[in-house]
Amino acid sequence: MIKMRTVEITVGLFLIAGILSLLMLSLQVSGLSHFLREEPGYKIKADFANIGGLKIRGRVTLAGVVIGRVSHIELEPQSFNATVTLTINPKVTYLPLDTRASIQTAGLLGDNYISLTPGFDQHAFLKEGDVIPAENTDSAIVLENLVSQFLAGQASKEPPSSGAAAPPSPVKREKGN
Amino acid sequence: MIVRRIQALGRSGLAFVQDAGHTSLFLFNSLVGRPDFIHGTERLIKQLYFVGVLSLLIITLSGLFIGMVLALQGYTTLVKFGAEQALGQLIALSLVRELGPVVGALLFAGRAGSALTAEIGLMKSSEQLSSMEMMGVDPLKRVIAPRFWAGQIAMPVLSLIFTAVAILGGYMVGVEWLGVDSGAFWANMQAAVDFDTDVVNGIIKSIVFGTVVTWIAVYQGIECEPTAEGIGRATTRTVVYSSLATLGLDFFLTAVMFGDT
């Protein structure tokens, strides 16, 4: 029979191993350290006509460098635009007021993210609560729309004399529009 | 003829309800009959040693190999689509959500559940339990409760250790051997795994499985036929029932927890 002392020590080690595993799972695996605290930074809003597959916590990049996260997405009832709230790193205080925001896709099938392109305003900078209007944003490029537009374009370009290709074109155009 | 059929149906229904009531009462008694804290913790620690610490070897080893195999298989599939960066995400999500709790519970049932049943069954067949009752000691409090609580505590801990070791195993194969970028491995994993939904639900799962497996194990032990053959059959039943219950419950828990994502 093993001594009670040894038993207690091993059980203690066992529980410590469990706690360490939980720590590893929370910090290293789920990256809780990033989400535990409210991400510091100032919030600006951007209106988009279509956000595609953009999700909360998506990246906000400038020249490819991550400078913030998407923190909130809602529908704006008057204009039917999507209003996206971006939390920008507090160190980046020099975004011109006419900065352009566009939703892009990482790779062919990757996640959507927001890419900012700085404008030319030298004096006014974006600060907490500012809004990037819909004229200054580019919506998400939805791949299916592109493909169907391309198909419709192809169909209309074909010469009508070739009888075999002409009949399907109305069908394709229907998809495009 | 038909009446007899109906009678048989009614009898099995009654037997089922009686069984369910019996097991629930049994669980209730062992939970409420928590032992006093001075001697109770000592017994609890001893049971934690048997149930938890002694299962550690099989849990860590299987975790390591399952993580390694997952990385190897995931890599060969993902590399075809040029998406081997997502390996960390694949490994972590499948481990944290499913494999950690489920495989942990299956191993736990095989390693600790069967031992619990055999131990209690032997106590019963050698009439230790009835002599305890003779001396005015409640065997539910003295024997069952510490084992039940030990299983309850040990199962989530074992499942956490299993998951962590398996992810490290996956890291070893995926990053060190197959050459996935280490930064992408962890970053994709962290982007995909959410603490509240994934890790916490995995822990909830393992607590549920711990309850079910230990419950079945101690119940089979105390209800077994007090013969050598009966103990053997009860041990088999423990492993079979708790494996089936784990896998079945896992489906429902997954449907409730992750069904809409």
Side-chain angles (χ1 to χ4, degrees), chain B residues 112-192:
Chain B
S114 58
L116 279 180
T117 308
E119 193 188 6
I120 297 173
L122 195 65
M123 277 185 180
K124 189 183 181 190
S125 71
S126 57
E127 301 196 337
Q128 293 179 40
L129 294 184
S130 17
S131 44
M132 265 183 206
E133 261 173 45
M134 292 270 284
M135 291 188 288
V137 179
D138 185 1
L140 277 187
K141 274 189 189 168
R142 167 101 196 185
V143 175
I144 305 297
R147 286 171 172 73
F148 189 84
W149 284 109
Q152 185 79 276
I153 297 170
M155 182 63 234
V157 176
L158 286 173
S159 149
L160 282 174
I161 295 175
F162 180 92
T163 312
V165 170
I167 287 174
L168 288 179
Y171 175 82
M172 268 163 46
V173 168
V175 175
E176 308 283 337
W177 181 26
L178 296 172
V180 175
D181 177 50
S182 153
F185 184 85
W186 291 119
N188 272 330
M189 190 186 286
Q190 290 177 359

Side-chain angles (χ1 to χ4, degrees), chain B residues 68-80:
Chain B
M68 283 158 65
V69 159
L70 212 55
L72 203 56
Q73 285 296 349
Y75 182 82
T76 48
T77 310
L78 288 174
V79 81
K80 275 186 197 149

Side-chain angles (χ1 to χ4, degrees), chain A residues 5-39:
Chain A
R5 202 174 120 79
T6 343
V7 169
E8 281 175 349
I9 290 172
T10 45
V11 170
L13 288 177
F14 169 66
L15 292 180
I16 288 174
I19 292 167
L20 284 182
S21 314
L22 180 63
L23 272 182
M24 182 209 156
L25 285 183
S26 52
L27 298 181
Q28 181 76 332
V29 174
S30 63
L32 189 68
S33 44
H34 302 307
F35 307 127
L36 207 57
R37 52 190 154 75
E38 175 89 353
E39 206 143 324

